[in-house]
Amino acid sequence: MARKAEPARTAAKRPGRAAAARAARARRGQRNAAEEAPYHHGALRDALLQAAERVLERDGLAGLTLRAVAREAGVSHAAPTHHFRDLSGLVSELAAIGFRQFNAAMAAAGAPDAPHPARGMARAKAYVAYAQAHPGMYGLMFRTERLDYSRPSLDEAAEAAFAGLASAVAASRHEQIEQEHLTLEQAAAIARAWSLVHGFTMLMLDGRLKDILHRLPTGTEVGTLLDAMLKIAMPSPSAS
Amino acid sequence: MARKAEPARTAAKRPGRAAAARAARARRGQRNAAEEAPYHHGALRDALLQAAERVLERDGLAGLTLRAVAREAGVSHAAPTHHFRDLSGLVSELAAIGFRQFNAAMAAAGAPDAPHPARGMARAKAYVAYAQAHPGMYGLMFRTERLDYSRPSLDEAAEAAFAGLASAVAASRHEQIEQEHLTLEQAAAIARAWSLVHGFTMLMLDGRLKDILHRLPTGTEVGTLLDAMLKIAMPSPSAS
DNA sequence: TTTCCATCTTTACACCGTAAAGATTAAGAT
DNA sequence: ATCTTAATCTTTACGGTGTAAAGATGGAAA
């Protein structure tokens, strides 16, 4: 784990070092994020979150470190601490953003005027498509290890995602949803839909589906496999 | 990430330090693993793997570091490097062991004389049961990030796991399996079974199933939910 | 017995998270 | 208007990590 060197801004003497460093950074054009010069103040919190998302999708989960994010945003390595308590704080806020993006994508996919039995398919495909478009984010959201669900923003966003899923499943069963209490049958239907689509997504992101794709005619895409799987997995138009 | 201190064996002077450290360690009874004193030589490779499994199940994936494993085995922090090239090497070999354990468990679950339609259920339950009994191992096996599948031992063990799954699915469809080429329908059936059980397992290990269990009568176990899910998910006795 | 070399230990370095203390400046008080 | 305060950001420091390189050790081959 010895790769990049911290930028050499260890020049200036004693006082006014911050200003000197800032000036030096500006001279070199290192303000790589945040348009309007976050030279002392600024909207650092948001800038850090945007930088974090960039780092995540560029370098993967392993590259998402506090110092890397600070570097990307052009601030000192300890700056993030004041906005998010620690790494799990930053990561959790980022995951909350991911859940909100995800919720928006799912809501958009649920809207159209499809003839109803195709609704489930469309939703499932949108689910996988989101993960494919934001693999880092999806991985982050479902790798609980580094997440702190006691943060209200994360808890709420994740809860909203679950509620959306639950009501989608209920709708496909021609039922109303009662948020607090579920029957075992409803719970099983939700678990089934979620496990199926989450499992497929994880296997895809972890590259395990290649084992299957290699045994199909060369050039078969993941989407084809997903379609075929959903065809046998979704409640057929004849069922209740 | 500042927690435990490296044991203080920085006492001895210049030459014979290794011997001195070894003696000191023995004096304190720090040979916590490996019965017959791996004092210089020994079966270190295996001892390290056993130590790694212990660390993994005790401290989780985050605690599984090269130095922690070396500590657990009572050797210097650089010793593992000579047996596994780097961290991903050790982790990959450990994952290979996990896959072999898993394959054995699945083989045992597939053997019994069940009346055939219940076979799939039994296998699925064994799958989840393995993950529940070895959560750290399962997490390791399916978090590709840190794994190196170019290692033959890992590749073979994982391939064997896939082959077992594929043939189980084929059997449930009253088909013979042709290892190299699959029809799209076969591939979809395999993907469906794998996604379902893997997804359920991941959601369970990551604690996301609590969202569902909290909405069921208090005290409902995860096993109950799994049963109910499989009942609607497995090909019913009437289907082809 | 002597040499050789695989095995294990030390030392060193860049990276990481995080705590604590110093510098800077926006904003409110006088 | 200046002064004070507090929020924001930077430095410094420390112990943790992986891993490269060099030194010590001792079994096995010559």
Side-chain angles (χ1 to χ4, degrees), chain B residues 1 4-5 16 22 40 65-67 71 86-87:
Chain B
M1 248 194 208
K4 269 189 286 190
R22 181 175 10 92
H40 173 232
T65 68
L66 270 184
R67 292 168 106 110
R71 230 178 279 133
D86 49 18
L87 179 60

Side-chain angles (χ1 to χ4, degrees), chain A residues 128-237:
Chain A
V128 176
Y130 174 82
Q132 225 164 356
H134 308 88
M137 272 292 204
Y138 191 87
L140 192 66
M141 289 153 59
F142 285 94
R143 248 101 186 193
T144 308
E145 318 149 29
R146 311 172 74 178
L147 265 42
D148 177 8
Y149 270 94
S150 74
R151 298 212 159 216
S153 56
L154 175 57
D155 189 59
E156 283 167 23
E159 206 64 39
F162 174 77
L165 173 71
S167 77
V169 170
S172 87
R173 305 175 87 228
H174 310 277
E175 292 177 353
Q176 280 293 2
I177 199 75
E178 202 190 331
Q179 277 296 359
E180 288 314 310
H181 300 294
L182 296 172
T183 68
L184 185 57
E185 286 71 29
Q186 288 175 325
I190 294 171
R192 191 182 86 100
W194 201 6
S195 296
L196 192 67
V197 78
H198 177 61
F200 187 90
T201 301
M202 288 303 240
L203 291 174
M204 175 185 73
L205 292 185
D206 284 340
R208 311 305 279 107
L209 286 186
K210 285 178 195 155
D211 293 347
I212 294 181
L213 292 176
H214 281 157
R215 289 171 171 80
L216 287 174
T218 53
T220 308
E221 298 281 346
V222 159
T224 309
L225 183 60
L226 175 62
D227 277 337
M229 183 187 83
L230 291 176
K231 204 168 292 176
I232 56 174
M234 301 299 288
S236 64

Side-chain angles (χ1 to χ4, degrees), chain A residues 33-36 38 41-54 69 72-73 75 79-80 82-84 90 93-94 97 100:
Chain A
E35 294 303 335
E36 68 299 24
H41 277 246
L44 225 199
R45 210 193 115 100
D46 288 348
L48 285 170
L49 286 171
Q50 288 174 242
E53 183 170 357
R54 250 175 292 138
V69 170
E72 174 80 16
V75 293
H82 300 282
H83 293 274
F84 317 91
L90 188 153
E93 292 302 321
L94 187 58
I97 293 179
R100 289 193 279 267

Side-chain angles (χ1 to χ4, degrees), chain B residues 136-182:
Chain B
M137 272 292 204
Y138 191 88
L140 192 67
M141 289 154 58
F142 284 94
R143 248 104 198 202
T144 308
E145 319 150 26
R146 312 172 74 179
L147 265 41
D148 177 9
Y149 271 93
S150 73
R151 297 211 160 218
S153 55
L154 175 57
D155 189 60
E156 283 167 23
E159 206 65 39
F162 175 76
L165 173 71
S167 76
V169 170
S172 87
R173 304 175 87 228
H174 311 277
E175 293 178 351
Q176 280 293 2
I177 198 76
E178 200 190 334
Q179 278 297 0
E180 288 314 309
H181 301 294
L182 296 172

Side-chain angles (χ1 to χ4, degrees), chain A residues 183-185 187-189 191, chain B residues 121 125 128 132 200 204 209 212-213 216-232:
Chain A
T183 68
L184 185 57
E185 286 71 29
Chain B
M121 286 265 300
K125 287 208 241 183
V128 176
Q132 226 163 357
F200 187 90
M204 175 185 75
L209 286 186
I212 296 181
L213 291 175
L216 287 174
T218 52
T220 308
E221 299 282 345
V222 108
T224 309
L225 182 61
L226 176 61
D227 277 337
M229 183 186 83
L230 292 175
K231 204 169 292 177
I232 56 175

